[in-house]
Amino acid sequence: MKIGPIGVWPPVVLAPMAGITNAPFRVLCREQGAGLFVCEMITTRALVERNPKTLRMIRFAESEKPRSIQLYGVDPDIVGRAVRMIAEEDLADHVDLNFGCPVPKVTRRGGGSALPYKRNLLRRILRQAVANAGSLPVTMKMRKGIDDDHLTYLDAGRIAAEEGVAAIALHARTAKQHYGGVADWEAIARLKEAVPEVPVLGNGDIWCADDAVRMVERTGCDGVVVGRGCLGRPWLFGDLDNAFNGRPERARPTLGEVAGMMARHAEGLTEVFDIERYAVADFRKHVGWYLKGFMVGSELRRELATSESLDGLRAGLAKLEHDQPWPPNTDTPRGKSGERSKVALPDGWLDDPWDCPLPDDEAESDISGG
């Protein structure tokens, strides 16, 4: 798969996830298998204002090549300035744009997965991004639409192709679905038929490597984007590498090997958070994902999920039954799920899909997803 000048094999992309896909996690995933590994979502306004926290979030490990940044913005001019800053200051090798966030605080102000409904605004943002990217490829990630009555993905895909976007990723759910229900893989196939000249990547319900291969075979998409399926499972990228190269081997780490990865992950976070207890606190959300399916008592789980230091975490990990084999039937949904009763939108947002209002500044949130 080619994304501009970047060759990607296997055709696999790590989805940007807030608070998840920072450098330590990306490095662990990249060690398992090749692909494209995208950093956490960055808001364009914070980037152009050189917010210190944002600048820390775009730091890459020396081993990371190519470097991919996902941007989220609602103002075409600010998006253009952010992309130009990345290109001119050599901050990344690839820029992805997020139009998939379904979080109510974002959509109610016209951002995220609500924005592609306004076709002309979407076009202006994409045009500014591509015009300011220089030689960097610009891609976009989106959802099917707001709900089943307001689907936008085919129009958005055609607009993206016309504006020179290098690849399009579709999370095959609507904003109303949030992370619930079943991803509509047929929508991925329809998008590929609509824009055959642009690589299309499918996203949604990839819980194991064989799911990814099935998606490509069923939809004709050029590659896949993996999000929640890799939570607590960096090994999934090794499985994906094997699957796309026709090899039957799949990673089945013991609990001891999982514990070793957990320790490395937490240790890596200390380079992101300068204070150790903050790093360990941030790691707590990963504990349940890493231990999914293993037989671990509730008290020990609680101890690991409330550790306040690396030594405390290591002490808890040492208590695990290290010879315990990889549990069966763990290729199942991970992370948040559930549908919304409705999508929060600005007043009158659905009245005219062609008008071009600029969402206000508060539509730019550091909440990722999509």
Side-chain angles (χ1 to χ4, degrees):
M1 181 175 66
K2 295 285 286 186
I3 296 180
I6 301 172
V8 183
W9 186 263
V12 173
V13 177
L14 168 64
M17 292 178 280
I20 305 292
T21 57
N22 45 35
F25 186 69
R26 295 195 306 268
V27 167
L28 294 179
C29 293
R30 192 184 292 266
E31 288 177 356
Q32 311 305 312
L36 200 62
F37 299 85
V38 188
C39 79
E40 301 174 80
M41 187 187 75
I42 303 298
T43 61
T44 54
R45 193 172 299 275
L47 182 61
V48 299
E49 292 175 354
R50 298 186 181 273
N51 177 281
K53 176 184 175 183
T54 299
L55 295 178
R56 287 196 300 271
M57 291 172 67
I58 62 172
R59 289 187 300 199
F60 291 87
E62 290 185 7
S63 61
E64 294 192 80
K65 287 287 184 179
R67 303 159 298 163
S68 296
I69 286 180
Q70 188 185 72
L71 294 179
Y72 169 66
V74 297
D75 184 315
D77 292 334
I78 299 297
V79 171
R81 288 172 57 191
V83 173
R84 185 168 65 250
M85 176 178 169
I86 291 170
E88 291 179 349
E89 299 182 21
D90 189 28
L91 300 178
D93 305 300
H94 156 234
V95 174
D96 185 52
L97 299 177
N98 181 304
F99 298 104
C101 182
V103 175
K105 69 179 291 187
V106 171
T107 60
R108 73 163 46 97
R109 298 185 180 279
S113 52
L115 194 145
Y117 186 77
K118 300 298 188 181
R119 275 71 165 175
N120 288 331
L121 176 58
L122 175 68
R123 185 182 294 278
R124 286 182 58 197
I125 291 173
L126 295 176
R127 182 169 294 177
Q128 284 291 326
V130 172
N132 285 279
S135 62
L136 301 185
V138 174
T139 62
M140 67 178 285
K141 184 164 185 268
M142 62 180 176
R143 285 185 173 238
K144 287 173 57 182
I146 292 172
D147 54 34
D148 287 339
D149 294 324
H150 301 90
L151 299 178
T152 57
Y153 70 103
L154 294 178
D155 280 351
R158 295 185 185 104
I159 291 169
E162 290 167 2
E163 295 301 328
V165 166
I168 305 166
L170 176 64
H171 184 162
R173 286 181 170 88
T174 62
K176 184 177 181 294
Q177 281 184 277
H178 205 64
Y179 295 95
V182 176
D184 177 13
W185 288 10
E186 295 308 311
I188 300 169
R190 288 191 289 272
L191 178 62
K192 182 59 190 175
E193 291 173 358
V195 288
E197 69 275 29
V198 177
V200 169
L201 295 90
N203 177 219
D205 293 350
I206 295 176
W207 308 115
C208 66
D210 295 331
D211 289 338
V213 173
R214 279 193 294 272
M215 177 185 280
V216 171
E217 291 174 345
R218 186 182 303 176
T219 69
C221 66
D222 301 278
V224 299
V225 178
V226 179
R228 294 174 295 151
C230 70
L231 296 175
R233 288 175 66 193
W235 300 273
L236 180 56
F237 290 92
D239 289 351
L240 289 160
D241 199 334
N242 284 333
F244 278 107
N245 284 293
R247 297 188 293 263
E249 295 83 9
R250 301 292 183 266
R252 294 294 181 263
T254 64
L255 184 52
E257 291 170 320
V258 171
M261 187 71 78
M262 292 172 72
R264 285 189 60 204
H265 192 165
E267 289 161 3
L269 287 172
T270 61
E271 300 178 11
V272 175
F273 299 88
D274 295 331
I275 300 175
E276 180 180 310
R277 69 176 182 276
Y278 292 167
V280 176
D282 185 76
F283 179 73
R284 292 172 182 169
K285 61 177 172 280
H286 295 273
V287 170
W289 297 325
Y290 274 111
L291 298 181
K292 182 179 174 69
F294 285 104
M295 296 179 62
V296 180
S298 58
E299 289 189 12
L300 182 50
R301 284 179 181 268
R302 190 178 307 110
E303 178 182 341
L304 290 168
T306 57
S307 298
E308 297 184 352
S309 68
L310 284 175
D311 285 343
L313 178 65
R314 294 187 188 106
L317 293 173
K319 298 177 184 179
L320 293 170
E321 182 185 344
H322 283 206
D323 292 336
Q324 190 177 143
W326 180 259
N329 303 318
T330 55
D331 295 335
T332 54
R334 293 165 177 252
K336 53 192 172 183
S337 61
E339 297 194 17
R340 302 286 187 184
S341 59
K342 64 178 183 178
V343 180
L345 297 168
D347 290 341
W349 190 255
L350 299 178
D351 292 347
D352 183 353
W354 301 104
D355 67 353
C356 196
L358 285 187
D360 64 37
D361 293 352
E362 293 186 36
E364 284 209 24
S365 168
D366 59 1
I367 295 174
S368 181

